[in-house]
Amino acid sequence: MKKNKSSVSFKETVRFALRGFKVWWRENPQILLSVLICGVIDALTPYADIWLLARLIDEIAGGRDPQMIKVYVLALMSTTAILTLLCAGLTRWKNVQLACLWHTQNKVFMEKLLSMDFADMDDGHVQELRSRIWQNTDSGGWGLYKLIYSFDAIIRSVMSIIGALLLTASLFILPVTASDGLKILNHPVFIFLIAAVMFGITFAAPLLAVKAGSYWVKYADENQLGNRLFGFWLGNLGNDRSKALDVRIYRQDILSRNNLKKYNPFIPTSKLAKASKGPMGGYRALSGAVSQVFVGVAYIFVCLKALGGAFGIGSIVQYVSAIIALSGGLSMLIETLGDLRNNTSFLRTVFEFLDLPNKMEKGGTRVSQNSDTGYEIEFRNVSFRYPDQEDYALRNVSMTFHAGQRLAVVGMNGSGKTTFIKLLCRLYDPTEGEILLNGIDIRNYNYHEYMQLFSVVFQDFRLLSFELGQNVAGSMNYDCDKAAQCLRDAGFGIRLDKLPKGLATALYKDFDEKGVAISGGEAQKIALARALYKDAPFIILDEPTAALDPIAEFEVYSRMNQMIGEKSAVFISHRLSSCRFCHDIVVFRRGSLIQRGSHNVLVNDKSGMYYKLWNAQAQYYEVEEE
Ligand SMILES: Nc1ncnc2c1ncn2[C@@H]1O[C@H](COP(=O)(O)OP(=O)(O)OP(=O)(O)O)[C@@H](O)[C@H]1O
């Protein structure tokens, strides 16, 4: 399994950072613009004050011209007021943009998830990438998120350095005029040495901080499981209504908490915590201490030069403030570049995920009916293995299925029935062999057009907490008469008449407190109505009546022929008696198609699987009847 790799080149750092900025720019250019403009103005503002203040102090201490003092005071006050107001306005603009960062980032990932191939949802590597991205962002703000704060820091530090350099340059040039030992301060070697010490300290502090930050990268992979369990227990378990019953009956909360205890990265004995107390904390503390040494050196140097008569008292304020700002700017820049480098391994994970190709969407052939035979499907030597699985779920399946046909698919649990349907609908592509529609491999067809051929009710279908009519139509706007008719055909008519707002009634209460709770059987009827509404040429029903009461089931089957009309239908059920409306039955066993024929033919083949399955159920009904 590929992890957050820690070795990163400079070129890679720049490449990934630029890609990340492009994503933000595409999503919302205002984020970058506000950070840029606000950063420039905000970073330069103090220097105007420092410069004017220095001139004012010089005037008070030197010339003492009341007119000039007045001019400097007014200039200082008005510049400060204007720049403060401007900064406040820009900061507000920036903060509004930053408030959307989290959502904007989630939108990028959600759009990818919703558009990726269904097969990728099952792929262990894809799930791993997904999980790592959430965790990296959650635990340290790493990934796309971090880039914006790095950008902010880069702008501020660069501007700060430029401003400080302009104000500090003369510090090294202005000579000491006193005739005593302070003259050494004018010596080029001394100037070089003092500048070297200052730069050395300036670089050392952020490098130590970056070293401390690198422990996040080092332990990111190790903390992954613990982080996931933490998120599951604190963020998901209690919120998920579908788990609420089992949590209570089987105390799954205790199970989850104990699992978290075992792997929790946020306890004092975890590796990350030990590193924080040990080297990671040590590097951070050292970085802070070194910065303070710099401040001391700067003060001594500036004061000695002032003592030697190189400049007036006002300039002490200017130089000390500017030199500290210069050091701060340089430190911030180096630390941010180090962070950017550390962030690259997290960005690599982000782009590995965002770059996952949609392999299904390659074909361009338009889907059309054959004028004689309509739609004819053929499975030709199809075998299939789920992603990351050793065992085949389907093995060498060959069969043809004609338009208008009603096909029942039966077999024991895990024999491959649902997998057969998923391949037919092209949710997965075969590992071996091919599936043909009217003689053409289905991979050659336009993917979205091909998907339009199927209306499916899966075993684990899901309805959304929106209006009933929207659920049936799968869209915001719908044909009310058609939606109501489909619901009646699916056996939901009586319940529909009782709903307070009819088709406009919200299902469940997630988005509407007046939403209605529906039973499992009612939900299944709505799912059936949804399949009917789509009106696709193939209707596929995987255990469509498993949750229905016997009367409702009887009613659905009585109307089945009328509901399906001229469409082709594939029907999976363990209740073999309900498969009898199908002309044709295929029997699966351990992924292979082992029998095919009508009910009458199969039930008379006493050595066959169908006979066994049929008799197992018939026996049960006989006992019940007795
Ligand atoms: N997403 C998946 N990833 C990996 N293996 C899977 C996945 N879905 C199903 N399988 C495996 O593939 C095999 C066939 O499963 P499938 O769901 O097609 O069986 P089925 O005949 O529909 O079973 P049932 O009657 O219980 O619904 C099983 O061994 C199952 O464990």
Coordinates of all heavy atoms in Angstrom, one line a residue, residues 118 121-123 384-389 391-394 409-422 428 459 542-543 572-574 588 590-591, ligand 1:
F118 N -18.2 3.5 -10.4 CA -18.8 2.8 -9.2 C -17.8 1.7 -8.7 O -17.6 1.5 -7.5 CB -20.1 2.1 -9.6 CG -20.7 1.3 -8.5 CD1 -21.4 1.9 -7.5 CD2 -20.5 -0.1 -8.5 CE1 -21.9 1.1 -6.4 CE2 -21.0 -0.9 -7.5 CZ -21.7 -0.3 -6.4
M121 N -15.4 2.6 -6.0 CA -15.9 2.8 -4.6 C -15.5 1.5 -3.8 O -15.4 1.6 -2.6 CB -17.4 2.9 -4.6 CG -17.9 4.1 -5.4 SD -17.4 5.7 -4.7 CE -18.4 5.9 -3.3
D122 N -15.4 0.4 -4.5 CA -15.1 -0.9 -3.8 C -13.6 -1.1 -3.7 O -13.1 -2.0 -3.0 CB -15.6 -2.0 -4.7 CG -17.0 -2.4 -4.4 OD1 -17.4 -2.0 -3.3 OD2 -17.6 -3.2 -5.1
D123 N -12.8 -0.3 -4.5 CA -11.4 -0.6 -4.5 C -10.7 -0.2 -3.3 O -10.8 1.0 -2.8 CB -10.8 0.2 -5.8 CG -9.4 -0.2 -6.1 OD1 -8.6 -0.2 -5.1 OD2 -9.1 -0.4 -7.2
F384 N -15.5 -12.7 -13.5 CA -15.4 -11.4 -12.8 C -14.9 -11.6 -11.4 O -15.3 -12.5 -10.7 CB -16.7 -10.7 -12.8 CG -16.6 -9.4 -12.0 CD1 -15.9 -8.3 -12.5 CD2 -17.2 -9.3 -10.7 CE1 -15.7 -7.1 -11.8 CE2 -17.0 -8.1 -10.0 CZ -16.3 -7.0 -10.5
R385 N -13.9 -10.8 -11.0 CA -13.4 -10.8 -9.7 C -13.5 -9.4 -9.2 O -13.2 -8.4 -9.9 CB -11.9 -11.1 -9.7 CG -11.5 -12.4 -9.1 CD -10.0 -12.6 -9.0 NE -9.2 -11.7 -9.8 CZ -8.1 -12.0 -10.4 NH1 -7.7 -13.3 -10.3 NH2 -7.4 -11.2 -11.1
Y386 N -14.0 -9.2 -8.0 CA -14.1 -7.8 -7.4 C -12.7 -7.3 -7.2 O -11.8 -8.1 -7.0 CB -14.9 -7.9 -6.1 CG -16.4 -7.9 -6.3 CD1 -17.1 -9.1 -6.2 CD2 -17.1 -6.8 -6.5 CE1 -18.5 -9.2 -6.4 CE2 -18.5 -6.8 -6.7 CZ -19.2 -8.0 -6.7 OH -20.5 -8.0 -6.9
P387 N -12.6 -5.9 -7.2 CA -11.3 -5.3 -6.9 C -10.7 -5.9 -5.6 O -11.4 -6.1 -4.6 CB -11.6 -3.8 -6.7 CG -12.9 -3.6 -7.4 CD -13.7 -4.9 -7.3
D388 N -9.4 -6.2 -5.7 CA -8.6 -6.7 -4.5 C -9.0 -8.1 -4.1 O -8.6 -8.5 -3.0 CB -8.8 -5.8 -3.3 CG -8.5 -4.3 -3.6 OD1 -7.6 -4.0 -4.3 OD2 -9.3 -3.5 -3.0
Q389 N -9.9 -8.8 -4.8 CA -10.3 -10.1 -4.4 C -9.5 -11.2 -5.2 O -9.2 -11.0 -6.3 CB -11.8 -10.3 -4.6 CG -12.7 -9.3 -3.8 CD -12.5 -9.5 -2.3 OE1 -12.6 -10.5 -1.8 NE2 -12.2 -8.3 -1.7
D391 N -10.8 -14.5 -5.2 CA -11.8 -15.4 -5.8 C -12.7 -14.8 -6.8 O -13.0 -13.6 -6.7 CB -12.7 -15.9 -4.7 CG -11.9 -16.7 -3.7 OD1 -10.9 -17.3 -4.1 OD2 -12.3 -16.7 -2.5
Y392 N -13.0 -15.6 -7.8 CA -14.0 -15.1 -8.8 C -15.4 -15.1 -8.3 O -15.8 -16.1 -7.7 CB -13.9 -16.0 -10.1 CG -12.7 -15.7 -11.0 CD1 -11.4 -16.2 -10.7 CD2 -12.9 -14.8 -12.0 CE1 -10.4 -15.9 -11.5 CE2 -11.8 -14.5 -12.9 CZ -10.5 -15.0 -12.6 OH -9.5 -14.7 -13.4
A393 N -16.1 -14.0 -8.5 CA -17.5 -14.0 -8.1 C -18.4 -14.6 -9.3 O -19.5 -15.1 -9.0 CB -18.0 -12.6 -7.8
L394 N -17.9 -14.5 -10.5 CA -18.5 -15.1 -11.7 C -17.5 -15.8 -12.5 O -16.3 -15.3 -12.6 CB -19.2 -14.0 -12.6 CG -20.5 -13.4 -12.2 CD1 -21.0 -12.5 -13.3 CD2 -21.6 -14.5 -11.8
V409 N -33.4 -15.1 -12.2 CA -32.0 -15.6 -11.8 C -32.1 -16.1 -10.4 O -32.5 -15.4 -9.5 CB -31.0 -14.4 -11.9 CG1 -29.6 -14.9 -11.5 CG2 -31.0 -13.8 -13.2
V410 N -31.8 -17.4 -10.2 CA -31.9 -18.0 -8.9 C -30.6 -18.6 -8.5 O -29.8 -18.9 -9.3 CB -33.1 -19.0 -8.8 CG1 -34.4 -18.3 -9.1 CG2 -32.9 -20.2 -9.6
G411 N -30.5 -18.9 -7.2 CA -29.3 -19.6 -6.7 C -29.1 -19.3 -5.2 O -29.8 -18.4 -4.7
M412 N -28.2 -20.0 -4.6 CA -28.0 -19.8 -3.2 C -27.3 -18.5 -2.9 O -26.8 -17.8 -3.8 CB -27.2 -21.0 -2.7 CG -28.0 -22.2 -2.8 SD -27.4 -23.8 -2.2 CE -26.2 -23.6 -1.1
N413 N -27.2 -18.1 -1.6 CA -26.5 -16.9 -1.2 C -25.1 -16.9 -1.7 O -24.4 -17.9 -1.6 CB -26.5 -16.7 0.3 CG -27.9 -16.5 0.9 OD1 -28.3 -17.1 1.8 ND2 -28.6 -15.6 0.3
G414 N -24.7 -15.8 -2.2 CA -23.3 -15.6 -2.7 C -22.9 -16.4 -4.0 O -21.8 -16.5 -4.3
S415 N -24.0 -16.8 -4.7 CA -23.7 -17.6 -5.9 C -23.4 -16.7 -7.1 O -23.0 -17.1 -8.2 CB -24.9 -18.5 -6.3 OG -26.1 -17.8 -6.4
G416 N -23.6 -15.3 -7.0 CA -23.2 -14.4 -8.1 C -24.4 -13.7 -8.8 O -24.1 -13.1 -9.8
K417 N -25.6 -13.8 -8.2 CA -26.7 -13.3 -8.9 C -26.7 -11.7 -9.1 O -26.8 -11.2 -10.1 CB -28.0 -13.7 -8.2 CG -28.2 -15.1 -8.0 CD -29.5 -15.5 -7.3 CE -29.5 -15.0 -5.8 NZ -28.6 -15.7 -4.9
T418 N -26.4 -11.1 -7.9 CA -26.3 -9.6 -7.9 C -25.1 -9.2 -8.8 O -25.2 -8.2 -9.5 CB -26.2 -9.1 -6.5 OG1 -27.4 -9.5 -5.8 CG2 -26.2 -7.6 -6.5
T419 N -24.0 -9.9 -8.7 CA -22.9 -9.6 -9.5 C -23.2 -9.6 -10.9 O -22.8 -8.7 -11.7 CB -21.7 -10.5 -9.1 OG1 -21.5 -10.6 -7.7 CG2 -20.4 -10.1 -9.8
F420 N -24.0 -10.6 -11.3 CA -24.4 -10.7 -12.7 C -25.1 -9.5 -13.2 O -24.9 -8.9 -14.2 CB -25.3 -12.0 -12.8 CG -26.0 -12.1 -14.1 CD1 -25.3 -12.6 -15.3 CD2 -27.4 -11.9 -14.2 CE1 -26.0 -12.7 -16.5 CE2 -28.1 -12.0 -15.4 CZ -27.4 -12.4 -16.5
I421 N -26.0 -9.0 -12.3 CA -26.8 -7.8 -12.6 C -25.8 -6.5 -12.7 O -26.0 -5.7 -13.6 CB -27.8 -7.5 -11.5 CG1 -28.8 -8.7 -11.4 CG2 -28.6 -6.2 -11.7 CD1 -29.5 -8.9 -12.7
K422 N -24.9 -6.5 -11.8 CA -24.0 -5.3 -11.7 C -23.2 -5.3 -13.0 O -22.9 -4.2 -13.6 CB -23.1 -5.4 -10.5 CG -23.8 -5.0 -9.2 CD -22.8 -5.1 -8.1 CE -23.5 -4.8 -6.7 NZ -22.6 -5.1 -5.6
Y428 N -19.6 -2.6 -13.2 CA -18.2 -3.1 -13.3 C -18.0 -3.7 -14.7 O -19.0 -4.0 -15.4 CB -18.0 -4.3 -12.4 CG -18.2 -4.0 -10.9 CD1 -19.4 -4.2 -10.3 CD2 -17.2 -3.6 -10.1 CE1 -19.6 -4.0 -9.0 CE2 -17.3 -3.3 -8.8 CZ -18.6 -3.6 -8.2 OH -18.8 -3.3 -6.9
Q459 N -31.1 -4.8 -4.0 CA -31.5 -5.3 -2.7 C -31.3 -4.2 -1.7 O -32.1 -4.0 -0.8 CB -30.5 -6.4 -2.3 CG -31.1 -7.8 -2.5 CD -30.0 -8.8 -2.2 OE1 -29.3 -8.7 -1.2 NE2 -29.9 -9.9 -2.9
D542 N -34.1 -7.0 -8.0 CA -33.3 -7.9 -7.1 C -34.0 -8.0 -5.8 O -34.0 -7.1 -5.0 CB -31.9 -7.3 -6.9 CG -30.9 -8.3 -6.3 OD1 -31.4 -9.4 -5.8 OD2 -29.7 -8.1 -6.3
E543 N -34.7 -9.1 -5.6 CA -35.5 -9.3 -4.4 C -36.4 -8.1 -4.2 O -36.4 -7.5 -3.1 CB -34.6 -9.5 -3.1 CG -33.8 -10.8 -3.1 CD -34.7 -12.0 -2.8 OE1 -35.9 -11.9 -2.6 OE2 -34.1 -13.1 -2.9
I572 N -34.6 -11.4 -9.7 CA -33.9 -12.3 -8.8 C -34.8 -12.4 -7.6 O -35.3 -11.5 -7.0 CB -32.6 -11.6 -8.3 CG1 -31.7 -11.3 -9.5 CG2 -31.9 -12.5 -7.3 CD1 -30.3 -10.7 -9.1
S573 N -34.9 -13.7 -7.2 CA -35.7 -13.9 -5.9 C -35.3 -15.2 -5.3 O -35.1 -16.2 -6.1 CB -37.2 -13.8 -6.2 OG -37.8 -14.0 -4.9
H574 N -35.3 -15.3 -4.0 CA -35.2 -16.6 -3.4 C -36.5 -17.3 -3.3 O -36.6 -18.5 -3.0 CB -34.6 -16.4 -2.0 CG -33.1 -16.0 -2.0 ND1 -32.2 -16.8 -2.6 CD2 -32.5 -14.9 -1.6 CE1 -31.0 -16.2 -2.5 NE2 -31.2 -15.0 -2.0
F588 N -27.6 -20.1 -10.8 CA -26.2 -19.9 -10.5 C -25.8 -20.7 -9.3 O -26.5 -20.9 -8.4 CB -25.9 -18.4 -10.2 CG -25.8 -17.5 -11.4 CD1 -26.9 -17.0 -12.0 CD2 -24.5 -17.2 -11.9 CE1 -26.8 -16.2 -13.2 CE2 -24.4 -16.4 -13.0 CZ -25.5 -15.9 -13.7
R590 N -22.0 -21.0 -7.1 CA -20.6 -20.6 -7.0 C -20.0 -19.8 -8.2 O -19.0 -20.1 -8.7 CB -19.7 -21.8 -6.7 CG -20.1 -22.4 -5.4 CD -19.1 -23.5 -5.0 NE -19.6 -24.3 -3.9 CZ -19.3 -25.5 -3.7 NH1 -18.6 -26.2 -4.6 NH2 -19.8 -26.2 -2.7
G591 N -20.8 -18.9 -8.6 CA -20.4 -18.0 -9.7 C -20.6 -18.5 -11.1 O -20.3 -17.8 -12.1
Ligands
LIG1 N1 -18.3 -5.5 -3.4 C1 -17.8 -6.7 -3.3 N2 -16.5 -6.8 -3.0 C2 -16.0 -8.0 -2.9 N3 -16.7 -9.2 -3.0 C3 -18.0 -9.1 -3.2 C4 -18.7 -7.8 -3.3 N4 -20.0 -8.0 -3.5 C5 -20.1 -9.4 -3.5 N5 -19.0 -10.0 -3.3 C6 -18.7 -11.5 -3.3 O1 -19.1 -12.0 -4.5 C7 -19.8 -13.2 -4.4 C8 -21.2 -13.1 -5.1 O2 -21.9 -12.1 -4.4 P1 -23.4 -11.7 -5.0 O3 -23.8 -10.5 -4.2 O4 -23.4 -11.6 -6.4 O5 -24.2 -13.0 -4.5 P2 -25.8 -13.2 -4.6 O6 -26.0 -14.5 -5.3 O7 -26.5 -12.0 -5.1 O8 -26.1 -13.4 -3.0 P3 -27.4 -13.2 -2.2 O9 -28.4 -14.2 -2.6 O10 -26.9 -13.4 -0.8 O11 -27.8 -11.8 -2.5 C9 -19.9 -13.4 -2.9 O12 -18.9 -14.4 -2.5 C10 -19.6 -12.1 -2.2 O13 -19.0 -12.2 -1.0

